[in-house]
């Protein structure tokens, strides 16, 4: 099958407090909030998008801040670590920077020769910064961080699974190639798309099943160029036996979803139309944007949502 997948598109997680979430990603990590909208299925909840200057596919971390909720329990059957790329040499800045911000879980390591710094998010999320080549990417510098140290976008993600075989076969079907194994972790890589190109599968046969809550990844989205490629991918998945949703309009991309053998929810999202369809680049993420069906209820929705800077 032609390589339709172009790397990661976005990663969507759940949070408790919207203001805390916004501050962590825009100030501590220095990303740009590129969209402030609502959960299309629960408009009383924000959907916040953070990324590079324009929200390039492969750079965007998104959150549903549901308010007071239990934290997720780490385990098998989840995206265990979301990985951001930073320029070579930048980790010498990041460790003291994160420590000064009160970030916990700071741990240095290497994997396949790449320097990594893992750390916890405000809801117990698991993140890593990985030193990588820019691959033409530039960090958002409109915040507190510089081009020499800022986040370039995603590096990839690490799944935690009791058995990695079936998910490895799925990734191969999607165009990924097995690259290398170190310890209990096997890397899959896809080229020919964006720079968010790696998925690592960590096999934990005795791990308990993860339970979702604040700090858990809700789903991980893979990029396709356009709607035609998405329909081709949907047909190929369904022909293989996967139960795939119809195409859903998410205003800034079109989406389809399916559940993987390991229990992780995958999304296939289009690179079109992008986050500038209803805001110019200079003002991305500033105003509350609502899908058309919720516009008549804007005043009520705005009263319900908490204030964020």
């Amino acid at each position: 099958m032609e390589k339709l997948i172009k790397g990661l598109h976005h990663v969507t997680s759940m949070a408790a407090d919207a203001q805390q979430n916004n501050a962590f990603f825009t100030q501590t990590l220095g990303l740009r909030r590129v969209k402030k909208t609502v959960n299309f299925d629960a408009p009383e909840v924000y959907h916040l998008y953070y990324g590079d200057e324009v929200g390039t596919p492969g750079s965007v971390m998104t959150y549903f801040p549901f308010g007071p909720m239990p934290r997720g329990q780490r385990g098998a059957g989840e995206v265990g670590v979301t990985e951001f790329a930073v320029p070579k040499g930048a980790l010498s800045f990041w460790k003291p920077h994160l420590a000064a911000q009160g970030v916990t879980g700071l741990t240095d390591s290497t994997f396949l020769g790449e320097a990594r710094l893992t750390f916890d998010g405000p809801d117990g999320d698991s993140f890593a910064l990985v030193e990588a080549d820019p691959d033409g990417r530039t960090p958002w510098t409109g915040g507190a961080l510089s081009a020499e140290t800022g986040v370039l976008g995603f590096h990839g993600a690490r799944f935690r699974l009791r058995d990695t075989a079936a998910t490895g076969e799925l990734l191969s079907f999607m165009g990924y190639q097995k690259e290398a194994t170190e310890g209990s972790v096997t890397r899959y890589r896809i080229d020919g798309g964006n720079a968010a190109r790696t998925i690592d599968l960590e096999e934990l046969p005795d791990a308990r099943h993860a339970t979702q809550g604040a700090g858990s990844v809700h789903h991980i989205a893979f990029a396709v160029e356009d709607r035609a490629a998405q329909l081709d991918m949907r047909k190929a998945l369904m022909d293989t036996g996967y139960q795939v949703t119809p195409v859903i309009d998410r205003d800034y991309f079109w989406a389809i979803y399916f559940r993987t053998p390991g229990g992780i929810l995958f999304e296939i999202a289009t690179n079109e139309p992008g986050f500038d369809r209803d805001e110019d680049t200079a003002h991305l993420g500033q105003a509350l944007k609502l899908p058309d069906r919720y516009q008549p209820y804007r005043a009520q929705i705005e009263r319900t949502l908490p204030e964020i800077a």
Side-chain angles (χ1 to χ4, degrees):
M1 185 178 68
E2 176 191 356
K3 279 190 179 179
L4 302 174
I5 300 297
K6 302 301 182 184
L8 292 183
H9 188 282
H10 64 271
V11 177
T12 294
S13 293
M14 296 181 288
D17 185 78
Q19 178 58 38
Q20 180 187 51
N21 180 261
N22 182 77
F24 181 78
F25 283 94
T26 61
Q27 298 172 28
T28 302
L29 292 190
L31 302 180
R32 184 184 194 187
R33 191 178 72 212
V34 295
K35 195 61 59 181
K36 180 170 70 169
T37 182
V38 294
N39 183 319
F40 284 15
D41 301 313
E44 70 279 6
V45 175
Y46 278 119
H47 194 175
L48 304 176
Y49 292 75
Y50 311 100
D52 64 8
E53 181 179 9
V54 297
T56 305
S59 77
V60 180
M61 187 82 207
T62 98
Y63 270 87
F64 301 132
F66 280 102
M69 67 184 304
R71 283 193 175 185
Q73 298 299 309
R74 302 280 76 85
E78 67 171 351
V79 178
V81 185
T82 302
E83 303 170 343
F84 296 100
V86 295
K88 295 285 183 69
L91 292 185
S92 61
F93 159 81
W94 277 101
K95 191 170 185 179
H97 168 74
L98 293 175
Q101 299 292 316
V103 174
T104 60
L106 294 166
T107 306
D108 294 303
S109 64
T110 61
F111 178 68
L112 298 179
E114 296 171 340
R116 300 165 59 87
L117 175 65
T118 57
F119 60 98
D120 301 328
D123 289 293
D125 329 45
S126 295
F127 296 114
L129 298 174
V130 183
E131 291 189 351
D133 292 325
D135 274 337
R137 298 183 291 182
T138 55
W140 163 244
T141 55
L145 301 183
S146 70
E148 290 72 33
T149 58
V151 172
L152 297 164
F154 289 126
H155 183 266
R158 179 169 294 187
F159 301 171
R160 295 186 177 126
L161 303 165
R162 284 184 172 176
D163 187 335
T164 61
T167 301
E169 289 179 4
L170 170 61
L171 290 173
S172 296
F173 177 77
M174 292 169 61
Y176 284 77
Q177 293 185 331
K178 184 186 292 187
E179 185 173 69
T181 298
E182 185 174 305
S184 62
V185 182
T186 299
R187 168 157 293 176
Y188 287 78
R189 177 186 179 97
I190 193 166
D191 291 312
N194 63 41
R197 57 174 66 100
T198 66
I199 299 292
D200 295 340
L201 303 185
E202 182 176 12
E203 187 159 302
L204 301 167
D206 299 322
R208 67 183 181 183
H209 284 293
T211 57
Q212 288 203 333
S216 299
V217 171
H218 184 272
H219 62 267
I220 185 167
F222 297 83
V224 290
E225 198 60 45
D226 52 32
R227 297 184 70 186
Q230 184 182 64
L231 290 174
D232 287 345
M233 195 72 222
R234 181 175 187 269
K235 181 179 185 304
L237 288 164
M238 293 182 70
D239 287 348
T240 309
Y242 285 95
Q243 301 297 311
V244 187
T245 68
V247 176
I248 302 171
D249 184 357
R250 297 302 193 195
D251 279 6
Y252 311 106
F253 47 87
W254 284 271
I256 58 175
Y257 303 86
F258 65 101
R259 188 73 62 177
T260 69
I264 297 170
L265 184 61
F266 275 17
E267 175 183 342
I268 308 294
T270 60
N271 287 342
E272 57 180 9
F275 294 102
D276 60 353
R277 68 175 296 272
D278 58 2
E279 290 180 295
D280 64 82
T281 299
H283 298 94
L284 286 177
Q286 295 183 14
L288 176 66
K289 296 298 179 179
L290 299 176
D292 290 343
R293 67 180 179 274
Y294 292 137
Q295 289 294 354
Y297 312 103
R298 173 175 283 274
Q300 178 183 344
I301 290 170
E302 288 180 338
R303 286 195 300 270
T304 302
L305 294 169
E307 289 287 332
I308 57 174

